[in-house]
Amino acid sequence: MSRGTHRLYLDSFEDTYATTFAADVLAVDGVDVVLDRTLFYPTGGGQPCDLGVLEGPTGTLDVSDVRGRDAVHHRLPEDHTLSVGDQVTGTIDWDRRHAHMRMHTAQHLLSGLAYAMFDGARTVGNQIGAGRSRLDLRPVVMDETDVNRLRAAFDAAVADDLSLSMGIKDRESLIAEVGEERSNVDMIPASVQQMRIIRIGEQVDVCPCAGTHVRSLGEIGPLGEVHVKSKGKGTKRFAYTLDGNPL
Ligand SMILES: [Zn+2]
């Protein structure tokens, strides 16, 4: 299981929106199969994995779990008969993935706005779900008026349909542009010098990320329900839904 998987969804927005792909089986370990390339997002960064199917020489197989980064493991039914070298066609469950993309991009937007609006409030945790997501902010003081200001700023950015862009940037130039804290680059090991940067608009949010994002904010739609509660001194948990989310 030493050979790696090319994670196709990282390459461009076109690839992030692709739903089918062809791949070769690199390794088989019981119910887990490693492919040479994949569109399946593996669980990580607070985002659940993609689900879907692989069609191989013996039929269609459900993918029930996806894990790993360098080698991406696709979990198949116990009676699968795939072996190394087989060619497969993968298809991801697009409704689930798109809901995660919208929720995850909403989290970037909320994190960027909160940092700017609440004196450098940092995002110290997040969990994405298709129906409901949350992020933890620290240090932050937020009353109801602040929550409404954040909601208004979020909905305004979505109404403006700001574009997202992706690119490779080195650590020093990222720090020079937005600083270590705002980009959360201080959370990434110093050995990592080149990273994939996701940017909303000019500078609404700029941070390294290997997740999946929508092309422009109009796709997200307005915030739905919001619940804010304290998670210890100076920390707030901001839970949200998105209006019009299909799941
Ligand atoms: Zn991201």
Side-chain angles (χ1 to χ4, degrees):
M1 293 268 184
S2 59
R3 291 169 67 194
T5 305
H6 178 185
R7 288 175 284 156
L8 299 162
Y9 58 86
L10 291 173
D11 290 350
S12 68
F13 279 107
E14 190 178 334
D15 292 299
T16 305
Y17 281 76
T19 58
T20 64
F21 65 101
D24 294 336
V25 175
L26 278 187
V28 177
D29 181 7
V31 293
D32 288 332
V33 169
V34 177
L35 305 177
D36 64 340
R37 56 218 299 269
T38 193
L39 283 176
F40 282 86
Y41 181 82
T43 297
Q47 182 170 320
C49 68
D50 289 330
L51 301 177
V53 295
L54 296 183
E55 292 180 56
T58 58
T60 301
L61 302 160
D62 287 333
V63 176
S64 59
D65 193 26
V66 186
R67 303 217 169 239
R69 280 292 180 271
D70 294 330
V72 178
H73 297 237
H74 304 68
R75 179 145 300 181
L76 300 178
E78 286 184 9
D79 60 355
H80 85 84
T81 57
L82 286 182
S83 56
V84 173
D86 282 347
Q87 295 184 328
V88 296
T89 300
T91 304
I92 62 166
D93 175 342
W94 176 249
D95 286 343
R96 174 183 166 92
R97 157 70 89 71
H98 194 215
H100 290 159
M101 286 162 63
R102 295 167 73 237
M103 278 291 195
H104 176 72
T105 308
Q107 179 257 303
H108 276 246
L109 177 57
L110 288 166
S111 294
L113 292 171
Y115 188 88
M117 294 171 70
F118 305 130
D119 295 327
R122 299 189 67 178
T123 298
V124 295
N126 73 88
Q127 181 62 51
I128 302 303
R132 185 180 175 85
S133 301
R134 62 176 161 79
L135 64 158
D136 293 340
L137 298 167
R138 184 177 69 214
V140 70
V141 176
M142 281 173 105
D143 62 17
E144 195 176 335
T145 304
D146 295 320
V147 173
N148 289 334
R149 283 172 53 223
L150 181 55
R151 175 193 287 278
F154 181 99
D155 289 347
V158 168
D160 285 345
D161 197 18
L162 297 178
S163 293
L164 279 87
S165 58
M166 63 174 75
I168 304 296
K169 206 166 168 73
D170 66 79
R171 178 180 286 263
E172 290 311 313
S173 61
L174 177 63
I175 291 171
E177 182 183 350
V178 295
E180 281 191 307
E181 290 198 354
R182 183 174 163 188
S183 62
N184 269 346
V185 72
D186 56 348
M187 309 292 282
I188 294 176
S191 59
V192 179
Q193 286 298 319
Q194 299 281 318
M195 47 199 96
R196 177 175 180 261
I197 304 298
I198 302 296
R199 180 184 297 268
I200 300 177
E202 294 272 322
Q203 249 183 11
V204 176
D205 187 58
V206 184
C207 72
C209 187
T212 57
H213 312 84
V214 297
R215 290 188 182 98
S216 66
L217 295 185
E219 243 175 84
I220 296 176
L223 269 184
E225 291 178 33
V226 168
H227 295 284
V228 179
K229 64 179 180 183
S230 289
K231 291 295 287 182
K233 196 174 187 323
T235 303
K236 295 286 191 192
R237 175 159 291 177
F238 186 99
Y240 59 97
T241 66
L242 295 175
D243 278 355
N245 200 314
L247 298 180

